[in-house]
Amino acid sequence: MKKNENILAYAFIFPAALVIIVFHIFPTLYSWYISLFDWDLISKTKEFVGLANYSKLFSDPDFLKSLLNTVYFAAGTIPLSIVIAFTVAYGLSRKIKGLSFFRTVYFLPVVTSVNAVAMIWLWIYHPDAGILNWFLGLFGVSPHKWLLDPVLAMPAVILMSIWKSLGYNIIIFLVGILSIPGEYYEAAQIDGASGFQIFRHITLPLVMPAIFFVSLVSLIGSFQTFTQIYMLTPEGGPLKSTMVIVYYLYQNAFVFFKVGYASAISFIIFLIIFTLTLLQNRFWGEKIDYEN
Amino acid sequence: MKIKRNLLYLFLLAGAFLMAVPFIWMLLTSLKAPDEVLTIPPKLLPSVLNFKNYSYAFAAAPFGIYFLNSFLVTAVSTFLQVVTSALAAYAFARFEFRGKKILFLLFLGTMMIPIEVTLVPNYIILKNLGWLDTYMALIIPWAVSVFGIFLMRQFFISLPKELFDQAQIDGCTHWQILWKIVFPISRPVFITVSVFSMVGSWNSFLWPLIMTSSESMRTVPVGLAYFSFEYATRYHLMMAAALFATLPVIIVYFFAQKYFIEGIATTGMK
């Protein structure tokens, strides 16, 4: 019986394990191996270069720029998105009517494809006939060439990205706020705390884990950002101002065919995301019950 | 108090309106006549509803093929994800076997590997398998969802043990228990996993962009990207295409919203 169960268990796990090993675990290790070579993906032979690809990375101005741009993207997106999402979530938590309507509207951009919504934003940012310039013109702001302007291209990408992911953050915050036991608020009211004091000393600290979680998830997402860059600012934008790290990886691997070099970049991405995910599991990890 | 409430509604409505503006603008532009699109200042409403834009955009590129590819890839990979995840989750939840803990941790660990990192090696693997530019490349590497395994396992563990014992006494095999007993009572979790795989698969872009090369293998997002570069100045057609490309996901979302929100709320998964 016991032995049978062993075999049966392996049989049940086999299809999943096969795919995970062949297409996830092995490629990760293989990628590290490729990063030690100079290779163009087509040649039969690859030249072993040791860690040369890595040392090249840190003197490559384009790589450093892509790293910096990714950090800029994250810094532009995350704090602002958290403040807006938290404010909206707090509003939604105040026993309002039409909660499901609001939730639907705020969440809709999250499920739609980046490609489709990026097309809409291309149109919104149009230098001549775009509605953004028209709207700002109502307040006397002169028109800008958003996505064609090296200074404004990244903020434009950031604005779209905030809009796209806001609904996700709102849901996480809403859950966090609604899970605070009502007694806490009642006790605070009995003690005569003001609305702001309640917010400052009860809501905010108790939602802190959710804020931390959203920050990490968004940070991980920033290091995976590709599609909106590809759609809105081809070639990494004017003066490479929106060249983020995954775009640079894509270019090296599938445009320049510098596969070894690209693999070194992907190892750096791996290290960053791995570290961030470990941190994230630390704080969200109580939900993962490894023992049972 | 009353004023505060009204201000709150005003704030939430204004926010909802801002969130909806891009969609509204897409809809309005998609209905405009070509000469009404690039006007300065922008003309907010179309003078006549030009529904022809949709059929024109749909025919301007092989969207029929793109949709067929996307439907096929989404349906098959969702089905496979649900089946492989359910099997693995059942094993992790109900069986005692050697290496269980390590295997489970290894599975979970792969959630820390972003696909971007494996693009180059997977390209080489698929090339060696002869799968590049085929449905296999779009489906098989995505036939498993670790998130699905994790979510289903949590649910299966919470089911009463007597249920399984009784079924075994009645002579059911584990395969039968999974599909005849566990599956019907675990419907919410199956739907949640399906909805996440569906939307993820439908919207996937970087992978099909790299792993396919011929026009006849493009999925909707990839086709949309090419369309967007080709028709860059004809915004009424671009908006029409964006609209019908997002429609399937929006429909799924409206019907399965509850599972979506709950899925995110309980796991933080995107």
Side-chain angles (χ1 to χ4, degrees):
Chain A
M1 188 65 204
K2 201 75 204 165
K3 206 173 166 204
N4 257 335
E5 201 164 84
N6 254 325
I7 294 170
L8 198 60
Y10 293 137
F12 272 36
I13 289 173
F14 180 74
L18 186 67
V19 172
I20 287 175
I21 290 166
V22 175
F23 295 107
H24 294 272
I25 295 173
F26 170 69
T28 308
L29 306 174
Y30 190 28
S31 161
W32 301 346
Y33 174 76
I34 301 172
S35 74
L36 305 174
F37 291 85
D38 192 5
W39 190 30
D40 63 2
L41 198 58
I42 302 146
S43 310
K44 284 267 179 283
T45 53
K46 21 184 189 277
E47 189 197 339
F48 181 80
V49 294
L51 295 173
N53 281 328
Y54 291 94
S55 55
K56 214 160 65 184
L57 269 183
F58 290 97
S59 53
D60 173 358
D62 282 351
F63 173 72
L64 296 174
K65 187 164 175 92
S66 76
L67 205 59
L68 214 63
N69 280 342
T70 311
V71 173
Y72 177 20
F73 175 83
T77 322
I78 302 168
L80 201 56
S81 177
I82 286 179
V83 170
I84 302 171
F86 191 86
T87 315
V88 173
Y90 193 66
L92 290 177
S93 72
R94 312 313 312 268
K95 295 193 185 71
I96 54 148
K97 285 195 194 95
L99 175 64
S100 70
F101 162 78
F102 286 119
R103 231 172 32 181
T104 305
V105 176
Y106 282 107
F107 195 75
L108 198 54
V110 178
V111 291
T112 49
S113 96
V114 187
N115 302 82
V117 296
M119 286 161 80
I120 309 176
W121 283 85
L122 269 175
W123 175 215
I124 290 174
Y125 288 137
H126 193 281
D128 304 317
I131 42 165
L132 184 59
N133 274 340
W134 167 76
F135 179 74
L136 292 174
L138 298 180
F139 302 94
V141 180
S142 53
H144 291 290
K145 290 189 184 305
W146 302 103
L147 296 165
L148 304 171
D149 181 328
V151 177
L152 292 174
M154 185 58 104
V157 172
I158 287 172
L159 180 63
M160 186 207 117
S161 304
I162 292 176
W163 172 81
K164 178 84 171 71
S165 61
L166 196 66
Y168 172 82
N169 298 347
I170 291 174
I171 298 293
I172 300 278
F173 290 146
L174 188 56
V175 172
I177 295 169
L178 291 177
S179 67
I180 298 171
E183 301 96 73
Y184 290 15
Y185 291 115
E186 284 158 29
Q189 270 168 343
I190 291 166
D191 292 347
S194 71
F196 178 73
Q197 281 174 322
I198 292 175
F199 174 80
R200 170 74 186 75
H201 294 287
I202 296 178
T203 315
L204 201 56
L206 287 172
V207 182
M208 224 42 204
I211 294 177
F212 195 76
F213 174 78
V214 165
S215 313
L216 280 170
V217 168
S218 317
L219 203 52
I220 293 169
S222 300
F223 279 92
Q224 296 180 279
T225 299
F226 172 78
T227 309
Q228 56 263 60
I229 305 294
Y230 183 92
M231 293 294 293
L232 293 178
T233 56
E235 316 291 320
L239 301 180
K240 294 177 183 164
S241 54
T242 58
M243 169 84 80
V244 289
I245 196 163
V246 175
Y247 196 89
Y248 194 53
L249 162 72
Y250 162 82
Q251 267 200 335
N252 273 286
F254 300 102
V255 182
F256 309 147
F257 294 108
K258 290 197 264 179
V259 171
Y261 195 55
S263 297
I265 299 172
S266 68
F267 183 71
I268 305 292
I269 300 176
F270 171 81
L271 273 187
I272 294 169
I273 293 187
F274 189 82
T275 315
L276 293 173
T277 317
L278 280 182
L279 272 174
Q280 174 201 323
N281 285 351
R282 261 247 160 106
F283 288 88
W284 202 253
E286 63 267 36
K287 299 221 170 200
I288 304 178
D289 170 16
Y290 294 105
E291 282 306 312
N292 281 302
Chain B
M1 205 58 203
K2 185 93 185 169
I3 295 171
K4 249 181 162 175
R5 278 258 113 178
N6 288 338
L7 277 176
L8 177 61
Y9 279 112
L10 198 67
F11 164 74
L12 289 173
L13 278 170
F17 177 70
L18 279 178
M19 291 303 281
V21 160
F23 292 118
I24 297 169
W25 192 227
M26 163 177 73
L27 179 68
L28 291 175
T29 308
S30 76
L31 289 167
K32 282 180 188 165
D35 58 347
E36 287 183 322
V37 178
L38 286 164
T39 56
I40 305 168
K43 204 164 171 289
L44 291 186
L45 296 173
S47 54
V48 280
L49 299 183
N50 202 11
F51 285 105
K52 271 192 302 212
N53 288 341
Y54 296 111
S55 54
Y56 193 90
F58 199 85
F63 271 108
I65 294 172
Y66 302 162
F67 269 90
L68 205 70
N69 288 340
S70 273
F71 276 122
L72 188 88
V73 170
T74 301
V76 178
S77 42
T78 301
F79 174 77
L80 289 176
Q81 279 193 18
V82 168
V83 173
T84 58
S85 302
L87 283 171
Y90 187 91
F92 282 125
R94 306 290 352 157
F95 294 143
E96 284 312 320
F97 55 95
R98 208 193 265 266
K100 175 172 161 176
K101 221 160 131 185
I102 290 180
L103 261 175
F104 188 62
L105 280 174
L106 195 68
F107 274 34
L108 281 182
T110 60
M111 282 169 114
M112 295 185 216
I113 307 173
I115 68 138
E116 292 76 13
V117 169
T118 66
L119 283 174
V120 170
N122 267 322
Y123 182 87
I124 298 165
I125 293 168
L126 292 172
K127 194 174 160 194
N128 287 331
L129 287 169
W131 286 0
L132 277 184
D133 206 25
T134 68
Y135 290 123
M136 298 298 268
L138 300 181
I139 293 169
I140 301 301
W142 299 100
V144 173
S145 154
V146 175
F147 158 73
I149 295 174
F150 174 67
L151 207 64
M152 287 181 176
R153 174 185 159 276
Q154 294 291 88
F155 194 85
F156 296 168
I157 285 174
S158 71
L159 297 172
K161 207 175 172 307
E162 297 75 41
L163 194 79
F164 296 90
D165 296 340
Q166 187 55 45
Q168 277 192 301
I169 292 165
D170 293 344
C172 286
T173 64
H174 283 289
W175 176 264
Q176 288 169 327
I177 296 176
L178 172 57
W179 298 115
K180 291 199 174 139
I181 297 168
V182 174
F183 175 63
I185 52 173
S186 314
R187 264 191 41 209
V189 75
F190 274 87
I191 296 176
T192 302
V193 173
S194 308
V195 169
F196 274 87
S197 347
M198 261 193 269
V199 174
S201 179
W202 184 267
N203 290 341
S204 159
F205 175 65
L206 185 51
W207 186 272
L209 176 73
I210 288 167
M211 303 308 173
T212 66
S213 47
S214 54
E215 191 176 48
S216 62
M217 283 306 301
R218 283 178 197 162
T219 56
V220 173
V222 180
L224 216 50
Y226 281 98
F227 183 82
S228 159
F229 297 140
E230 209 171 311
Y231 285 78
T233 51
R234 279 173 271 182
Y235 287 97
H236 54 296
L237 297 183
M238 268 173 71
M239 293 307 101
L243 192 138
F244 59 63
T246 40
L247 216 52
V249 164
I250 291 178
I251 292 170
V252 168
Y253 169 62
F254 274 118
F255 282 102
Q257 208 188 136
K258 186 179 134 218
Y259 298 98
F260 237 106
I261 308 280
E262 277 170 15
I264 291 179
T266 51
T267 65
M269 200 57 200
K270 231 188 239 193

